[in-house]
Amino acid sequence: MATKSSSSLPASALSGAGGPAPQYLKVKTHLREGIAGGRWRPGERLPSEADLTETFGVSRMTVNRALRELHQEGLVERVQGVGSFVAQLHRIASTLTVRDVHEEIAARNHRHEASVHVLETIKASAEQAGLLGVRTGATLFHSVIVHRENGVAIQCEDRLVNPACAPDYMDQDFTRVTPTHYLLEVAPLSEARYTIEAAMPVALEARLLGMPRGEPCLVVKRVTSSQGRAVTAVRLVHPSSRYLLEGSFQA
């Protein structure tokens, strides 16, 4: 089956209120962009607090806050009396909690099943190219997979993948391993941008999920990157009557 992607995944951006950015945020952004762009590789030492204080003309306390927040986000490891280092990729992936639907279902001691409805190569539209940072017309991988919990469809996964990051994507058996699990293995996560909204399913999604068009859904749209390069853009559609999005936070 060669169905074109029904995803509508607008690029997202974070914007703050007007006015100059706080000084600590300038330091934090500088370090974050350097890590994402590969200036400092996993395990490498970052500039010292004294160096950053001199470079940005800010206080030691300001630099410390930037490093502390990067540490809390899992991007930086801090060693007392030694310095700060870029976190290893496996640590970054586990901290930025992008959950595998198979693991969610297994955690409830339920049975997970997946059926692949689309697995194809397409040419990127202008919108898709913008999401994944490729040229319009570039080759992308596209999959549509329905995930079931104890036989009941709970998620329609419509995914675009950058072949440069996962060249063997089309050769995987996604009835045995989920795309999320596979992609985290081959392109460890360093950044994720997402939106969550209530919306109506498109015709294909409603049909695959076995639900009426008039029933609202919980829709998660997410773009994930590895070392500064976008890997995948996905639209996850869940029938509102069959799915609960949950999580926890501890300071």
Side-chain angles (χ1 to χ4, degrees):
M1 179 180 179
T3 305
K4 293 300 181 183
S5 171
S6 58
S7 295
S8 176
L9 292 159
S12 62
L14 297 177
S15 58
Q23 293 298 314
Y24 85 91
L25 194 56
K26 295 179 182 178
V27 180
K28 181 180 176 181
T29 299
H30 170 75
L31 294 173
R32 179 194 289 276
E33 291 180 350
I35 293 170
R39 179 177 179 182
W40 299 292
R41 310 294 296 178
E44 288 186 356
R45 184 175 179 175
L46 293 168
S48 68
E49 291 189 15
D51 289 341
L52 291 169
T53 296
E54 182 177 351
T55 298
F56 286 90
V58 296
S59 69
R60 195 74 169 258
M61 184 180 298
T62 297
V63 170
N64 186 273
R65 177 176 177 181
L67 289 168
R68 184 173 70 251
E69 291 194 5
L70 290 172
H71 172 70
Q72 291 170 345
E73 293 171 13
L75 296 174
V76 168
E77 293 283 0
R78 306 185 74 186
V79 180
Q80 184 70 30
V82 179
S84 298
F85 300 81
V86 180
Q88 296 296 330
L89 290 178
H90 66 81
R91 169 67 188 278
I92 295 173
S94 64
T95 303
L96 297 172
T97 51
V98 171
R99 297 196 66 188
D100 183 351
V101 66
H102 172 80
E103 294 178 357
E104 288 186 36
I105 293 172
R108 295 190 284 268
N109 294 318
H110 289 175
R111 184 181 75 257
H112 169 251
E113 297 171 321
S115 54
V116 180
H117 294 269
V118 177
L119 186 60
E120 63 179 354
T121 299
I122 64 172
K123 299 298 182 182
S125 68
E127 181 181 13
Q128 293 166 343
L131 280 173
L132 294 176
V134 299
R135 61 177 176 80
T136 301
T139 297
L140 296 177
F141 299 146
H142 173 224
S143 60
V144 177
I145 299 171
V146 173
H147 298 278
R148 292 179 173 81
E149 181 172 357
N150 288 347
V152 178
I154 64 164
Q155 183 187 94
C156 181
E157 171 190 324
D158 189 341
R159 183 181 297 272
L160 299 170
V161 175
N162 182 350
C165 300
D168 297 327
Y169 185 82
M170 299 290 285
D171 298 328
Q172 306 307 306
D173 181 357
F174 291 123
T175 65
R176 299 176 62 86
V177 61
T178 64
T180 296
H181 180 88
Y182 168 72
L183 291 171
L184 287 175
E185 287 289 322
V186 299
L189 174 67
S190 59
E191 181 181 2
R193 295 178 288 119
Y194 66 92
T195 62
I196 302 173
E197 63 180 349
M200 295 299 178
V202 301
L204 176 63
E205 294 164 345
R207 178 170 62 81
L208 293 179
L209 290 168
M211 57 182 294
R213 286 288 303 275
E215 180 182 341
C217 290
L218 179 68
V219 179
V220 178
K221 301 175 186 177
R222 186 174 68 223
V223 178
T224 55
S225 301
S226 179
Q227 290 299 288
R229 182 161 61 175
V231 175
T232 183
V234 63
R235 173 183 166 97
L236 305 171
V237 180
H238 314 82
S240 60
S241 60
R242 307 176 201 165
Y243 189 80
L244 174 67
L245 181 65
E246 59 184 353
S248 62
F249 172 81
Q250 183 174 357

